[in-house]
Amino acid sequence: MGVNGTLADIVGLMGSAVLVFGYAYSNLAKPVNFVLFNTANLVGAVLLGASLTVHFNLASFLLEIVWGGIALFGLGKAWLARGRA
């Protein structure tokens, strides 16, 4: 039983919205909470990646893997910084 195209579109749109939120947040917040920022980027990348399993596009899928990896790195860095504070 697979995921239908409409559900994949909804998941992809949610992922896009989360990424736009993270981008807007990083430009509007002073100071930026890097846990929130990187969590939004990770969630957005995962949702978009999930939607791409139905509407596959290799370039976009690889971009989401890299985006998610950078977000994981940023989360680790932010958590380590919190431990030192």
Side-chain angles (χ1 to χ4, degrees):
M1 178 178 192
V3 175
N4 71 35
T6 302
L7 181 57
D9 288 341
I10 292 168
V11 169
L13 287 169
M14 289 172 36
S16 295
V18 172
L19 286 177
V20 169
F21 162 79
Y23 183 67
Y25 170 75
S26 72
N27 282 280
L28 298 172
K30 296 192 186 348
V32 173
N33 177 328
F34 286 101
V35 172
L36 175 61
F37 172 68
N38 286 300
T39 298
N41 278 287
L42 180 59
V43 170
V46 168
L47 290 173
L48 280 167
S51 76
L52 287 167
T53 63
V54 175
H55 303 295
F56 190 73
N57 176 302
L58 181 60
S60 295
F61 193 75
L62 292 175
L63 175 64
E64 296 314 320
I65 290 171
V66 170
W67 199 287
I70 293 169
L72 282 172
F73 175 79
L75 273 171
K77 192 173 167 186
W79 281 109
L80 287 174
R82 275 188 166 191
R84 284 188 228 124

